[in-house]
Amino acid sequence: MTKVFIAGQLPAQANTLLLQSQLVIDTYTGDNLISHAELIRRVADADFLITPLSTQVDQDVLDHAPHLKLIANFGAGTNNIDIAAAAKRQIPVTNTPNVSAVATAESTVGLIISLAHRIVEGDHLMRTSGFNGWAPLFFLGHNLQGKTLGILGLGQIGQAVAKRLHAFDMPILYSQHHRLPISRETQLGATFVSQDELLQRADIVTLHLPLTTRTTHLIDNAAFSKMKSTALLINAARGPIVDEQALVTALQQHQIAGAALDVYEHEPQVTPGLATMNNVILTPHLGNATVEARDGMATIVAENVIAMAQHQSIKYVVNDVTPA
């Protein structure tokens, strides 16, 4: 019998598809994340592994999974998986790109609006001390219209953010390794600049980069020193892109005006100091947490497992391994 081990509960869409394929399904249903020891035990006789991006699949796990033919990661990022070790074992690793771009872009825009208009601060005020009534100078935030948006990483999510905030009449700067076609820049209202120029000119800096050795701590003390004292930082990409201790210092010393984080350098822990600041919004990695996005991700991982079991081609292989 061909066994699929699912290392965390997924949307029903995945199970519906997998059960139709006559595969044996074993799912971890605990309330907490699966432990390393239990993952090793449960994957020992598995042919296929579906894992959420919060679960580490390292060399040790692979060494205890002699029958493993596929790792289907439930998430666009794959930094939770030892890609090189999987490649040595000729195990393809797949991810779930594209389907979560809209959800992540919408939540990013929500963070930007909430931070600029102090919505979370206002909600906290009303739930605690309340207020004395409307006044001309009370609780002022800032319009987004006319403010410069800087996007580091104009891939699918970055472009979806740009498309939405272009409608807010925001000048848009972007920086990445390669420049987009001019026609696409025109559609998005985006101008290609160096990273340094973006940091210096942007009123809001939002991150949409993958986590690599190059992007780890890309936003550090040096980056904060280049930003406006009125600037806002948004991170809905990967936590370690930001040196969070440097962020705490930058906020304390008023090098920047505020930040909104959906991901964390030491996730799920939050760097001490951030949670006590009124000018910081913290959300629990909700970027693509919509029914629509998660159903799309579930469909991808299930269809890849089924295709692999039926010796058909699979999609979104990230480690250049050709299935046997």
Side-chain angles (χ1 to χ4, degrees):
M1 298 291 284
T2 303
K3 176 182 170 180
V4 182
F5 177 59
I6 305 175
Q9 296 189 68
L10 302 183
Q13 176 75 5
N15 286 329
T16 298
L17 291 170
L18 290 168
L19 287 170
Q20 293 172 354
S21 67
Q22 308 298 312
L23 295 168
V24 175
I25 302 171
D26 177 23
T27 303
Y28 172 74
T29 58
D31 292 330
N32 298 319
L33 296 178
I34 191 169
S35 69
H36 191 256
E38 183 160 4
L39 177 60
I40 285 175
R41 181 175 63 82
R42 302 274 291 268
V43 81
D45 60 345
D47 298 281
F48 308 109
L49 171 63
I50 297 176
T51 180
L53 59 79
S54 52
T55 297
Q56 296 296 312
V57 182
D58 57 19
Q59 176 76 58
D60 198 19
V61 172
L62 296 176
D63 287 344
H64 287 83
H67 308 293
L68 202 59
K69 301 177 181 68
L70 172 69
I71 302 171
N73 207 43
F74 192 91
T78 54
N79 49 291
N80 58 311
I81 298 172
D82 189 332
I83 298 293
K88 284 183 180 179
R89 286 268 310 275
Q90 290 297 300
I91 300 171
V93 176
T94 62
N95 66 346
T96 58
N98 308 331
V99 291
S100 60
V102 167
T104 305
E106 288 179 354
S107 65
T108 298
V109 172
L111 289 174
I112 291 171
I113 294 171
S114 297
L115 193 58
H117 286 270
R118 303 176 68 183
I119 291 172
V120 175
E121 280 186 82
D123 177 81
H124 178 71
L125 180 74
M126 295 306 298
R127 294 173 188 273
T128 52
S129 61
F131 78 127
N132 295 323
W134 186 93
L137 300 180
F138 176 66
F139 229 75
L140 299 182
H142 290 279
N143 287 356
L144 293 180
Q145 184 181 38
K147 300 299 186 298
T148 297
L149 176 68
I151 304 177
L152 287 175
L154 204 63
Q156 284 199 329
I157 295 172
Q159 289 183 42
V161 171
K163 177 182 177 181
R164 284 152 179 78
L165 290 179
H166 181 46
F168 280 58
D169 297 323
M170 297 185 73
I172 297 172
L173 307 176
Y174 78 98
S175 185
Q176 59 184 12
H177 274 319
H178 61 281
R179 183 173 179 176
L180 295 179
I182 293 176
S183 60
R184 185 57 174 155
E185 289 182 345
T186 302
Q187 288 176 335
L188 298 172
T191 301
F192 181 72
V193 295
S194 70
Q195 180 178 306
D196 282 353
E197 183 176 350
L198 183 149
L199 293 174
Q200 291 163 6
R201 291 177 55 190
D203 297 296
I204 298 168
V205 175
T206 183
L207 309 177
H208 300 289
L209 299 155
L211 180 62
T212 65
T213 54
R214 186 189 68 82
T215 62
T216 298
H217 282 193
L218 184 72
I219 305 301
D220 57 7
N221 285 314
F224 289 122
S225 70
K226 295 169 182 152
M227 293 171 66
K228 296 180 179 181
S229 61
T230 54
L232 306 176
L233 176 71
I234 314 296
N235 188 9
R238 290 291 177 263
I241 294 173
V242 176
D243 180 342
E244 288 184 358
Q245 192 54 60
L247 172 60
V248 171
T249 300
L251 290 164
Q252 290 173 338
Q253 296 181 356
H254 307 291
Q255 287 182 290
I256 66 170
L261 306 178
D262 186 48
V263 291
Y264 303 90
E265 183 178 359
H266 307 292
E267 195 166 316
Q269 282 74 40
V270 177
T271 296
L274 290 173
T276 60
M277 296 182 183
N278 291 332
N279 56 343
V280 174
I281 297 175
L282 306 172
T283 52
H285 206 146
L286 297 178
N288 62 18
T290 66
V291 171
E292 295 82 1
R294 297 288 169 87
D295 277 352
M297 296 162 72
T299 298
I300 289 173
V301 294
E303 288 183 345
N304 269 340
V305 165
I306 293 167
M308 187 85 172
Q310 296 176 351
H311 306 288
Q312 298 174 357
S313 61
I314 57 177
K315 298 178 180 178
Y316 312 121
V317 178
V318 299
N319 61 344
D320 296 322
V321 174
T322 303

